[in-house]
């Protein structure tokens, strides 16, 4: 048996962090029995253009959004690193920190999961962590709808790992894939940036403390 309850990991650009990120972390903690979820803002995300806000601003917003919730931790290491932010490297670092037996669960929205086979050293992810896939409105596939529309390579690697019972996550340190349903929230950072860029309100899509920070630092104008 594993030594302690699984630790969740939620990476993202968080440009800016919003309520769907926070519900994803919170609902995953409940649904999957996670002791905590560590949010890891990417410094330099390799799969996309340069974020609009600096790594320091994005980290500060993640800290504000998670303040007061003891289940959510913030991991600043990718922001502090000059290297590109590859998830496999972060997982290796966490493995070294936590030891070989602690279950680690990488949390992904369905859109991020669908692109997994394009990640740096992606097959190694499963030796380092479990993967839990959340539904996301407008994005297919949710892992439960396999095998429809999946990348064949991703499908071949993932289908044998697919389980439905979150109990498997506590019983091994890594290697299983578990889909879970969160409250569907059609919120994206892209939409929030569009609203703010057009001078429109993004209120209630993200925490007020984060919106105040954005206003104070004139971000996304
Ligand atoms: P952008 O619009 O800039 O691409 P985003 O809103 O998708 O940003 P990211 O920081 O890229 O946010 O996402 C981090 C993680 O959170 C990813 O795994 C993503 O799939 C997940 N996620 C983001 N928004 C949602 C949502 N509304 N529902 C479920 N998962 C989500």
């Amino acid at each position: 048996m594993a030594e302690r309850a699984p630790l969740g990991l939620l990476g993202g650009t968080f440009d800016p962090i919003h309520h769907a990120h926070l519900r994803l972390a919170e609902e995953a903690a409940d649904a999957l029995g996670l002791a905590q979820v560590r949010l890891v803002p990417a410094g330099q995300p390799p799969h996309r253009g340069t974020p609009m806000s600096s790594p320091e601003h994005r980290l500060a917003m993640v800290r504000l959004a998670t303040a007061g919730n003891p289940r959510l931790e913030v991991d600043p290491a990718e922001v502090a690193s000059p290297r590109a932010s590859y998830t496999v490297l972060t997982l290796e670092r966490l493995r070294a920190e936590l030891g070989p037996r602690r279950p680690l669960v990488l949390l992904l929205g369905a859109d991020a999961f669908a692109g997994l086979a394009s990640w740096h050293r992606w097959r190694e992810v499963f030796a380092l962590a479990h993967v839990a896939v959340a539904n996301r409105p407008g994005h297919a596939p949710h892992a439960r709808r396999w095998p429809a529309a999946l990348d064949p390579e991703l499908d071949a690697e993932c289908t044998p790992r697919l389980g439905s019972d979150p109990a498997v996550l506590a019983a091994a340190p890594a290697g299983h894939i578990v889909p879970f349903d969160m409250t569907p929230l059609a919120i994206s950072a892209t939409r929030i940036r569009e609203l703010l860029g057009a001078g429109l309100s993004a209120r209630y899509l993200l925490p007020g403390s984060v919106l105040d920070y954005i206003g104070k630092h004139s971000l996304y104008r």
Side-chain angles (χ1 to χ4, degrees), residues 10-16 18 20-21 24 48 107-113 134-137 182-191 193:
L10 177 60
T13 312
F14 303 123
D15 189 25
H18 52 66
H21 295 133
L24 171 54
R48 50 191 292 158
L107 305 176
L108 297 176
D111 59 311
F113 176 74
N135 52 299
R136 180 168 188 179
M182 62 174 281
T183 306
L185 293 168
I187 303 174
S188 71
T190 301
R191 181 73 185 133
R193 293 193 300 272

